[in-house]
Amino acid sequence: MKSFKHLFQKITASGEQRHKLRSFNLSPCIGGKAKSVKELAEELGFNVYQSQLPKGMSGRLVSDPFSDNGFAIEVNERESVQSRRWSVLHEIGHFFLHPRHKQVLADDMFLDRSNSAFYVDQKEEVEANSFASVLLFGDGVLRAAVSLHGRDNAALAKIFGVSEKTIEIGKRQFLK
């Protein structure tokens, strides 16, 4: 998945949800500060919580009867802000890409960065990461940021609110 066209072909989302996702992509920062992924998630109906998750578990999508869409995103409070931001986008990806998990009684979804297996469907993990990448960098957004700010990973990481490693991966995916 490299563009919103491909992303929108894969997901079931309302016009309003698509608009919110696309608007987030079109302006990665406001006033020099990365846009809030928590606000995006809340606009899409999720509650977002920081929790003490097991070591290696970065985030998870869980049933939440008090949220507008029936789900909450929990992120590991012990991880960096950049990691938590990525986890939120990743879990939003699971929600839209893997419809069976939209069922309130479905198993929770986990983003696992350890060697233990909280979540084992590697294909779905790759798809959720791809969703997050397109949301951040797709449709020329990373290319535009590079043309304005140069190829410096630290500067780009600040603009997008992600780690320098995430910027490196984004460059490989979107600047070929």
Side-chain angles (χ1 to χ4, degrees):
M1 205 174 347
K2 293 227 177 207
S3 69
F4 268 84
K5 178 181 178 183
H6 293 115
L7 186 139
F8 286 159
Q9 288 172 346
K10 288 187 146 284
I11 68 172
T12 303
S14 70
E16 182 181 351
Q17 290 168 323
R18 289 171 186 250
H19 174 74
K20 288 174 182 174
L21 293 169
R22 188 67 174 124
S23 294
F24 179 85
N25 167 263
L26 288 172
S27 56
C29 67
I30 297 174
K33 188 173 181 185
K35 263 183 147 174
S36 171
V37 297
K38 182 179 186 221
E39 287 177 16
L40 171 66
E42 289 170 345
E43 287 175 11
L44 294 168
F46 298 96
N47 285 330
V48 179
Y49 304 105
Q50 292 186 49
S51 304
Q52 284 192 2
L53 299 176
K55 185 176 176 146
M57 184 186 293
S58 298
R60 63 184 176 185
L61 181 65
V62 296
S63 296
D64 181 359
F66 301 107
S67 70
D68 291 342
N69 68 11
F71 287 87
I73 296 170
E74 292 182 343
V75 293
N76 194 333
E77 66 185 12
R78 291 180 233 151
E79 294 198 352
S80 69
V81 170
Q82 294 86 358
S83 178
R84 292 191 310 257
R85 285 176 53 80
W86 181 265
S87 294
V88 169
L89 298 175
H90 175 96
E91 299 306 333
I92 291 170
H94 276 304
F95 178 81
F96 284 110
L97 290 168
H98 309 123
R100 76 179 191 285
H101 298 289
K102 288 185 183 179
Q103 300 167 9
V104 176
L105 299 177
D107 292 335
D108 296 338
M109 302 278 299
F110 303 103
L111 175 55
D112 177 12
R113 290 197 179 112
S114 70
N115 291 328
S116 59
F118 295 113
Y119 185 74
V120 293
D121 190 331
Q122 197 59 34
K123 180 179 183 267
E124 288 189 1
E125 288 298 291
V126 169
E127 289 173 344
N129 279 337
S130 183
F131 177 97
S133 291
V134 169
L135 196 54
L136 281 175
F137 305 130
D139 289 8
V141 171
L142 181 58
R143 188 173 304 283
V146 167
S147 72
L148 290 171
H149 305 284
R151 296 185 68 86
D152 178 54
N153 287 350
L156 293 169
K158 183 176 180 187
I159 290 164
F160 289 98
V162 296
S163 69
E164 290 183 42
K165 178 140 180 87
T166 301
I167 294 295
E168 289 174 23
I169 293 167
K171 284 179 175 179
R172 287 194 301 267
Q173 291 175 328
F174 296 97
L175 298 182
K176 290 181 181 179

